[in-house]
Amino acid sequence: MDGAHRDQVSSSSSTSDGTQFTGTGQKWDDCFAKDTEIPLSGDFDGDGKTDIVTFTRGDAAQVYVVLSDSTKFVGDGKLWHTHFAAGTEIPTVGDFDGDGKADIITFTRANPALVWVAPSNATSFGTAAIWHNAFSGGGEYPLPSRIFP
C-alpha cells in the first residue's frame, strides 16, 4: 500500500471447527482497510484461498487486494483498480462471470441507480461495465450475500 494507507490497522483470523472459533487469533496484516474503507473477502486470483480487498471509496475510489497463501496474507496491498466504488457507492464481491475468480461490483444508488462490475483477471480487476441500469436506487440498500449498510 502507499504511505497514505500505513496506519495501525490490522486484520486477524482464528480457525473454525465448524461450530466455533478455536485457538488464539493470529494477526495477518498490519495496515489494511483503515478509516471508512470497506473490507471484504473473496478468491480474487482463483487459487482456492480467500484473499482480502478494501475499497477506499470517496474521491480516490481505489481498490487494493492482498492475496493469501492460506497461512498469511502475502505482502502489502496491491492496487488492483484505480477508480471503482466512488463516493458513497456500496461495493461487494462475487464470482459474477462464473470463472472461479471473485469479481467486484458496486451499486451507485443514485439516479440512475447503476450496477457496475469489474471482473478479476487474477492479477487485477478489468474495466468496469454497467450490468444493470436501474437497481437499488435512492434509500434502498442492495443485500448480496456479503454486504451490509
Side-chain angles (χ1 to χ4, degrees), residues 3-19:
H5 285 80
R6 296 225 179 259
D7 285 350
Q8 293 301 314
V9 178
S10 65
S11 58
S12 62
S13 175
S14 291
T15 304
S16 170
D17 66 8
T19 62

Side-chain angles (χ1 to χ4, degrees), residues 15 37 60 79 95 99 103 106 111 118 120 131 142 145:
T15 304
E37 293 180 9
L79 182 64
D95 183 7
D99 67 354
D103 311 304
T106 190
N111 186 10
S120 172
W131 278 37
S145 63

Side-chain angles (χ1 to χ4, degrees), residues 40-53 65-68 73 93-95 100-103 146:
L40 296 170
S41 62
D43 181 8
F44 302 109
D45 60 357
D47 66 356
K49 300 172 184 77
T50 302
D51 311 306
I52 54 176
V53 63
V65 170
V66 178
L67 301 176
S68 170
F73 291 113
V93 302
D95 183 7
K101 296 181 289 294
D103 311 304
R146 296 183 180 198

Side-chain angles (χ1 to χ4, degrees), residues 8-9 14 16 19 23 32 41 50 57 61 76 82 92 94-95 102 104-105 107-108 115 124 126-127 131 138-139:
Q8 293 301 314
V9 178
S14 291
S16 170
T19 62
F32 198 77
S41 62
T50 302
R57 299 194 327 160
D76 290 335
T82 59
T92 192
D95 183 7
I104 54 175
I105 185 171
F107 300 86
T108 66
V115 178
S124 67
T127 302
W131 278 37

Side-chain angles (χ1 to χ4, degrees), residues 54-71:
T54 190
F55 299 85
T56 64
R57 299 194 327 160
D59 293 335
Q62 295 175 324
V63 182
Y64 290 88
V65 170
V66 178
L67 301 176
S68 170
D69 71 2
S70 77
T71 63

